[in-house]
Amino acid sequence: MSTGEPDAIVVDGLVKRFGAFVAVDHVSFAVAPGEIMGFLGPNGAGKSTIIRILCGLFAPTEGHVRVSGIDVATDPEGVRARIGYMSQKFSLYRDLTVLENLTFFAGIYGVRRRARAERIGYAVEMAGLGGREGQRVATLSGGWQQRLALGCAILHRPRILFLDEPTSGVEPMARRRFWDLIHALAEDGVSVLVSTHYMDEAEYCDRVALINHGRLVAVDTPGALKRAGGGRPLFVIEPADLGAALAALAGAAGIASASVYGGTLHVAAADPHYDAADLAALFAERGVEPGRIEPTAPSLEDVFVDLVASDTRTGGRAA
Amino acid sequence: MRAKRLLAIARKEVLQIVRDPRSLMIALLMPFLQMFLLGYGISLDLKHVPVCVFDRERSQTSEDLVARFEASAYFAVTRRLSQYAELTDAIDRRACVLALVIPPDFSERLAADGTAPVQAILDATDTNTATIAYGYAANVLARYSAEIGETERARQGETASLFVPVEVDSRVWFNEDLESRNFIIPGLVAVILALVGAQLTALTIAREWERGTMELLISTPVTATELMVGKLAPYLVLGWAVSVLCLLLAVFWFAVPFRGTIGTIFVTTTLFLLVVIGIGYLVSALIRDQLGASQVALIATILPANLLSGYIFPIDQMPAAVQAITYLVYTRYYVEIVKAVFLKGSGLAALALPVVFLAVYAAAVLALAALAFRKRLR
């Protein structure tokens, strides 16, 4: 999605320590204008901390962060005027109505009086909240609340949006609708940095950053990540006895990982040249019936599990 | 500071105050209740102190003396005793605070020597009451003996004019009736405003941190000053409402004379309100959780306001070290001001010192409060 314009977000060697705990460990990446960058990683991996630093809510311990060309450390207010933010915890005023929340944030963001009605009208329409302007936010369901929060975050036409797990706890249809809105904004050139723990949502992103223990494990398009698959061939087997098959694979030479997916096993080989015949030979040697063996393309989840597992094993030295 | 953002915050704060009628009711009802409870509960006046009389003579002269005590509004002769043991018992059971023992040869000695001893026994478990009661009793007795001297001299045919003793013609100013209520109620108004004012704002920042709304707010370009001014403005208005309520009760219900001007009381009350709502805001910004902020604000205001403001306990009777500390107690300035405006009708010029102190205090507290608010997560 690179358009040759300067990057909207540039993060270089970012480190954040809380006492002895390293929450963010030398993270570097960039987001282009109009690009949707997904943050994927386990809970506590540091996704929220990075986003909060980018919004100026935490001061970075080391490294440089430029948002819209402005250094967050030296001019946080300049950054705050140019971004929209949706925090992980729902943070609109529940005791106010939809319209009162929108009016409040329009005022806070300094939206000009003449533009205000138009911007609020746009946000209401975008969020599909027409007819509910007078409703107290506390009485809205999760999906409506999330769309209203997005509506409040874009009142001042920010060119950069930070969305921290915006769809957590929202039902699938509402999540789908929310992603349509994100895509529409990106079409207009807004850069979106969105964190999620839903694997399927990572597929909607232009690029995905995998984050584990505060480290950036991989950054690439979902397609490229899957193709690379950590460079490892992946097989699906359907053994009659899952336990025996797992035991046979444990510690076997040439096998990187084996994980259960329903009634099947996903087996990743360590050697790129490992093939189905090698796997069949392994099972024959151990006297276990593997059932059907099929090479398969890794899903993003496979890649994620594999990368996180190897990153955790090596403590990031291989990444 | 941008007016647009400031107005947005003030407007939102008003909506939230109005949406929470229970808190609003408490804010208005609490001062009302406190005015009545403390306004009636605290009185430093001694009236109808119960007196037991053990008259061992029962002559006309001794009865005459007892009648003086009965006639005084400060005393009420509740019991006549016939044995000393009864007297000890009456004091023990607090049936009387003062026991008067008149000797059996009272009138005889008075006639012979021109003087006679009378014993007054006081229950000094409450030293304050005992001291005041003793003072009143000495007063009654002094007048009585002065009159006896007068009649004695008249009886001996001397001209009274030669023997007029030095007479103090005392006149009490400002609180002519020596009603303790008249100086307690204005002080009470100050103490109530100190408590309520800080409580009103102690939650305003902490609530937003607790509910998570602050995280979004600090991601916007709003400044610490805009946030503070926008949030405090509605509470200043609410503080004015509480002040008017308390002052009206003082004047019209408790009938405390109001001799000052509305202008003086308005200016000084506004300064004081700025200090107290500023203190609440400062605590809220520092502590970030509602329960903690409310507790700290309560302790920080209730003790100094009650003990060190001079509203009941006179500051000039405190030890020097404690007196020095009272200069830090902002409520003392306002107590001084309200008492003076009510009872003396003092204007701003006469009150320049406490007013300047309050103004400096307000400026310092608000500056600290703005600085204490950080647009960062912890």
Side-chain angles (χ1 to χ4, degrees), chain A residues 261-272:
Chain A
Y261 282 77
T264 67
L265 279 179
H266 285 202
V267 182
D271 174 3

Side-chain angles (χ1 to χ4, degrees), chain A residues 60-125:
Chain A
T61 311
E62 272 174 41
H64 295 283
V65 177
R66 297 184 84 81
V67 175
S68 196
I70 299 168
D71 192 322
V72 176
T74 55
D75 184 13
E77 295 305 333
V79 170
R80 289 181 182 126
R82 288 167 175 80
I83 60 163
Y85 173 51
M86 259 181 81
S87 61
Q88 195 169 3
K89 190 178 168 194
F90 180 74
S91 50
L92 298 184
Y93 296 94
R94 290 165 189 273
D95 46 350
L96 302 189
T97 67
V98 168
L99 191 61
E100 284 162 353
N101 268 288
L102 286 163
T103 310
F104 173 67
F105 282 102
I108 287 294
Y109 283 121
V111 176
R112 286 176 202 292
R113 195 163 293 278
R114 266 171 296 147
R116 191 173 294 180
E118 182 264 319
R119 291 304 299 161
I120 290 175
Y122 170 78
V124 167
E125 192 196 343

Side-chain angles (χ1 to χ4, degrees), chain A residues 119-138:
Chain A
R119 291 304 299 161
I120 290 175
Y122 170 78
V124 167
E125 192 196 343
M126 180 209 80
L129 284 163
R132 292 176 187 265
E133 291 92 336
Q135 200 174 327
R136 298 266 176 100
V137 168

